[in-house]
Amino acid sequence: MRVLFVLPAPVRIPMGGAAVVYRHAEGLVTRGHEVTVAAPRRQEGVRGRVLKTAVALRDRVHGVAERVEYAASGVASVVPETWRDLDGHTYDAVIATGHQTAEWVISLAEQGKGFYLLQHDERHLTEAAASTWQLPLVRIAVARWIADTVEAEGAPVAGVVPNAVDLEHFQPRVPPEERRARVVALYHRLPSKGPDILIETLRRLRERLPAIEADVISARPPRHRLPSWVDVHIRPEADRLADLYNRAAVCLHTSRLEGWGLVPMEAAACGCAVVATESRGVNEYLHPGRSMLQVPVDDVEGLAASVVELIEDSSRRRVIAQAGRDDVARFSWDASTDALEQILLDHAPS
């Protein structure tokens, strides 16, 4: 098959959704398919031109203007000016990867078949995202909760293709019970990611455990003011990321709504005990009370208390961490790409 994934825009910084696309793209190539990932530079119209200019300025300020975050062996990556520059090419399967790309795929898939890889309930970005669920595309969800949400709106989902983690790279090198009082967390400026909850939880943790340390991972320099004692890591390389997970006792996850949540999954694979909000995605692979401690969304007090509990009780932390490692090990990229390939084969024109 000739397969085209369409991203909303070029990817200059780490993004979980784009990482998933490239992982599947590479997997499909190894299965004998011809795969292209396209990331148009801009949307059409005045708004698209203004957005392109603003993004370009921000990327220059952050030092990522010419950076390409993702590539994969055998996968063709193209950056057309707009999605219309992809016209004239024939594909057996064209896959939308965000609400911005769904309408494009309808046009691009005229000779093949259009698919829609749903990685989030994107209504947290715009209510208009819900209308794209009704488009005549074959819908594929990365999480059961996303599939249930979309199907509740009358849009059937062809299958669930879960995300996974590379267990050879993300693995424990320091026993959980031997780790210092240190947490690791992801920062993102979007309100849905709970940056305010992260900052307040860290503040309360420092009050209760004056010796606690923290590593915060961020794709761009944070817009919020993080506590001065927190170490901020901007776009750490994969090896460094695994090191950060391995020196942390607890992974703190503060999102209000999460499609899947790759950071807690990677951290769990490295032996971190996870403390998370009830933000949906993390429940696809971890279980409250067994392989993570979980509290309601926005419950700063609950998050802080749960972290303190695990820091002070190394035996409890070891049990949670081991269960977390076991739970995430149930998922594999090979199995997920096999499932994606089968859906494409079932629905693409023969």
Side-chain angles (χ1 to χ4, degrees), residues 81-122:
E81 191 62 23
T82 74
W83 68 269
R84 291 188 183 277
D85 293 322
L86 297 168
D87 280 345
H89 299 275
T90 302
Y91 299 95
D92 301 301
V94 185
I95 307 173
T97 62
H99 71 273
Q100 309 96 316
T101 67
E103 291 279 4
W104 306 344
V105 167
I106 294 292
S107 297
L108 292 170
E110 288 180 355
Q111 298 179 27
K113 189 67 175 182
F115 297 81
Y116 194 172
L117 183 62
L118 296 154
Q119 301 194 64
H120 211 324
D121 177 354
E122 292 186 305

Side-chain angles (χ1 to χ4, degrees), residues 212-293:
I212 199 167
E213 300 169 315
D215 290 305
V216 168
I217 303 157
S218 181
R220 295 182 184 274
R223 286 188 180 180
H224 298 77
R225 185 183 297 277
L226 291 163
S228 60
W229 54 274
V230 172
D231 293 327
V232 179
H233 306 267
I234 309 299
R235 297 183 295 277
E237 297 294 333
D239 287 344
R240 179 55 175 161
L241 189 57
D243 288 341
L244 295 176
Y245 293 146
N246 264 277
R247 73 179 188 174
V250 175
C251 174
L252 176 62
H253 178 67
T254 63
S255 283
R256 293 183 167 96
L257 185 67
E258 192 75 43
W260 181 271
L262 288 173
V263 165
M265 192 180 202
E266 293 169 350
C270 289
C272 284
V274 174
V275 171
T277 52
E278 295 172 345
S279 51
R280 307 300 295 272
V282 70
N283 292 76
E284 296 287 315
Y285 53 88
L286 295 178
H287 295 81
R290 188 185 82 196
S291 52
M292 69 171 164
L293 298 188

